[in-house]
Amino acid sequence: MTEHIQYSPEKDALVLLDQRYLPTREEWYVCKNVKDICEALVVMVVRGAPAIGVTAAYGCYLAAREVSRAGVADWKPALTAKLEQIASARPTAVNLRWAVRLMQAEWAKHPEFSLDELCVFWLAKAKVVHAEDIETCKAIGASGADLLSDGDTVMTHCNAGALATAGYGTALAPIRAAVEQGKKISVIANETRPFLQGARLTAYELYRDGIPVKVACDNACALLMQRGLVQKVIVGADRIAANGDAANKIGTFGVALLAHEFGIPFYVAAPVSTIDPETADGSLIPIEDRTPREVTHVGNTQITPDGVGVFNYAFDVTPNRLIHGIITERGVLTTPYTEAIAKLFK
Ligand code: MRU
């Protein structure tokens, strides 16, 4: 599945498969400017750390186009302000900031560019970021496939599949690669309250691709592990600190604790762009606090009494001691993570 993020030359826009409506409706969301891009990120038309990085790269191009069309004389500060708007649309996934900083670094190599030259340059660069993300995910798959044995059932939390990336996925990449090697692998997708990425998205894409998948309520995790129904856990990450602590969708930490209790290997799969060497440990990772409505309602149905408060932290941090390995496109990192990560960034 690689068609869910598309640049349309006819519309001069980024066209996104709207993930809010999957699996029942396939609707497309057209981003023509920075406001559209930020809205798509905030309401989660597009979500998943690498996918929001790719979206942000195209967003930089659209920002430049917008400033160009507005004919702003002092265009550099105007453009920089728009880039900051994109970079701060969501706080936890470092790929968003990573992509914007990458585009800025490319621009810095060509200070002589006019705004129109920058538009052409950035569109080409965004297409490269897009294409490279798919290759990176395939390399994560190649790194992690040997960790899986024929007959394994792998539990995953949230959606770290094709839809969360430009294609192929991160947590789902070793599963896809093992299946391509001829191994029989099945998946348990935790439903992932409140946005239901597991039930709606992971199940959707694996079922479409013919990989056996069953959805489990988040609170079934302990029972399934106790019954020996889970051989491995693989999850994605939104930001991995310099010591290997990994932020991922809320509930992941609980899954990791249970995996530890039952002696089940727990892996994090992520591109190197998700590792943030500037964040020393997990306590420093900002945790997104989203709208209460995602918890108080399921679809349009209210499920909590009027006036009752809720928690809607979108992520939690799994401490490095619970992680058996971090599967990247450059191999599987193991403890001590501080050394392994420092070596990677040397
Ligand atoms: O809030 P979301 O849906 O953007 O959260 C996504 C996750 O937590 C994913 O597991 C993570 O971004 C990795 S995606 C390859």
Side-chain angles (χ1 to χ4, degrees), residues 141-155:
S143 296
D146 289 346
L147 300 170
L148 300 182
S149 307
D150 193 25
D152 275 355
T153 296
V154 181
M155 178 176 276

Side-chain angles (χ1 to χ4, degrees), residues 44 47-50 90 158-160 164 170 197 237-238 248-249 315:
M44 300 210 292
R47 27 68 48 205
R90 292 188 74 189
C158 194
N159 171 262
T170 57
Q197 288 93 332
D238 288 81
N248 191 51
K249 181 52 54 193
F315 300 96

Side-chain angles (χ1 to χ4, degrees), residues 121-248:
F121 178 71
W122 267 358
L123 178 56
K125 192 69 208 168
K127 288 179 182 172
V128 171
V129 171
H130 190 172
E132 280 181 356
D133 188 63
I134 301 175
E135 293 315 308
T136 299
C137 288
K138 289 199 170 151
I140 291 171
S143 296
D146 289 346
L147 300 170
L148 300 182
S149 307
D150 193 25
D152 275 355
T153 296
V154 181
M155 178 176 276
T156 190
H157 193 76
C158 194
N159 171 262
L163 286 163
T165 60
Y168 209 74
T170 57
L172 298 193
I175 295 167
R176 291 184 186 283
V179 168
E180 284 161 19
Q181 288 174 350
K183 293 176 191 162
K184 279 204 170 66
I185 307 288
S186 53
V187 177
I188 295 175
N190 292 341
E191 65 175 349
T192 322
R193 276 279 293 155
F195 200 72
L196 303 173
Q197 288 93 332
R200 298 190 302 104
L201 309 176
T202 301
Y204 168 82
E205 64 171 80
L206 290 178
Y207 183 76
R208 260 176 63 135
D209 292 346
I211 298 177
V213 58
K214 279 189 174 171
V215 173
C217 297
D218 295 330
N219 46 12
C221 185
L223 179 80
L224 298 178
M225 289 185 177
Q226 191 183 41
R227 291 197 165 182
L229 299 176
V230 181
Q231 280 70 53
K232 312 270 158 54
V233 178
I234 310 183
V235 298
D238 288 81
R239 189 185 304 217
I240 299 172
N243 71 344
D245 293 347
N248 191 51

Side-chain angles (χ1 to χ4, degrees), residues 25 32 117 139 145 169 212 242 317-318 321:
R25 270 166 33 222
K32 292 194 167 203
E117 285 170 329
V317 178
T318 300
R321 67 185 166 81

